[in-house]
Amino acid sequence: MRRFSESYLRRTRRGMWADSRSALVDFDLDTRTRVLDVGCGTGEFTRVLAEESNARVVGVDADPELLTFADEHPKIEAVAGDATRLPFADDSFDLVVCQALLVNLPDPAAAISEFARVSSDLVAAVEPDNAAVGVDSTVESEVTLEKRVRNAFLDGVSTDVALGDRVPEFFESAGLDMVGTRRYHHQKLTEPPYDEDDVRSAAQKATGEGLDRHEQDLRRGLDEPYESVRTQWRQMGREVVRQMKDETYRRAEVVPFDVTTGQV
């Protein structure tokens, strides 16, 4: 399973669900009494579930360090556990949900079977379609270069990071009856005034640090030398930094998430 830092999770989930929560309507959150968020990380989505319901909300994650952040919310109980071997009895919750978890698992079907085991009613997954991400930027090379790198990553990574619209197949295989699917578009904007995360992200592009974290996956997926792409990436990053100093840099990224709900 791929793991992520607290800063990465907070940055990539920043602003998610702040604009609209209509895609969660099939969860019937106002009727829930026991909700489980699997792979909750720092609890960004767990907090949304707690805000939208009067339920007992539990977040479970394999990384105890991330759980210290999830546990900060008074309505959330944080528990350490594996998504494919959940530490709960059958039918312990009336809604079991995950967000951006299945795309990082080598065996998402095993996790969904566990979700169905511990749920007495609904199972839901909010998963990104990373093949359909859209980027616009005042640095022209950023748009084309990110697309090349993203395609190489999709080809080289060991898990299916673009399975968003395939989740219904996994649900049906687990014996779940489909309730519905909805799509949510998460827009991430970078514009003046820039915050610390924006500045850090630009610096990581300029040094190549952000790219290097995915080096092995990219080497498998690229049809050109990694070193060549890295040089272009760093040049692009330096232009991002320059525009930031002039306060002219703007970037918009849209990530589509498929919200799938099934009944036990």
Side-chain angles (χ1 to χ4, degrees), residues 16-197:
M16 191 167 180
W17 305 111
D19 53 344
S20 172
R21 297 176 179 177
S22 60
L24 305 178
V25 66
D26 291 333
F27 293 8
D28 290 330
L29 285 169
D30 58 346
T31 70
R32 299 295 148 198
T33 59
R34 296 161 296 144
V35 175
L36 176 64
D37 181 15
V38 185
C40 66
T42 54
E44 310 301 317
F45 188 50
T46 327
R47 292 181 181 86
V48 172
L49 299 172
E51 291 167 3
E52 294 295 318
S53 71
N54 292 314
R56 170 196 172 214
V57 180
V58 178
V60 62
D61 199 276
D63 189 335
E65 291 187 13
L66 296 179
L67 288 174
T68 61
F69 298 94
D71 209 21
E72 293 173 350
H73 194 288
K75 286 183 64 177
I76 295 173
E77 176 187 347
V79 176
D82 186 326
T84 61
R85 294 186 297 273
L86 292 170
F88 307 105
D90 295 1
D91 304 331
S92 294
F93 302 89
D94 53 13
L95 170 63
V96 178
V97 62
C98 68
Q99 176 175 281
L101 171 70
L102 303 179
V103 291
N104 298 309
L105 295 180
D107 188 2
I112 293 171
S113 293
E114 272 292 272
F115 296 179
R117 178 184 68 80
V118 302
S119 176
S120 63
D121 189 18
L122 289 185
V123 170
V126 181
E127 296 293 327
D129 181 354
N130 286 307
V133 174
V135 174
D136 191 21
S137 171
T138 52
V139 176
E140 186 175 345
S141 61
E142 184 174 21
V143 178
T144 56
L145 190 55
E146 281 207 10
K147 184 175 182 179
R148 284 165 53 200
V149 167
R150 184 179 304 107
N151 289 339
F153 178 73
L154 291 171
D155 290 339
V157 72
S158 58
T159 64
D160 186 353
V161 294
L163 61 68
D165 60 357
R166 292 183 49 236
V167 172
E169 300 173 22
F170 291 103
F171 274 34
E172 291 169 1
S173 296
L176 296 168
D177 294 327
M178 286 298 301
V179 173
T181 60
R182 300 174 185 272
R183 179 156 277 205
Y184 171 76
H185 291 89
H186 176 37
Q187 185 176 42
K188 296 180 283 187
L189 295 175
T190 304
E191 58 187 357
Y194 311 112
D195 62 21
E196 290 183 8
D197 285 339

Side-chain angles (χ1 to χ4, degrees), residues 8 15 38 50 96 108 114 116 124 133 151 193 227 230-231 245 261:
Y8 172 85
V38 185
V96 178
E114 272 292 272
V133 174
N151 289 339
E227 290 75 16
R230 188 177 188 274
T231 296
K245 289 179 179 177
T261 310

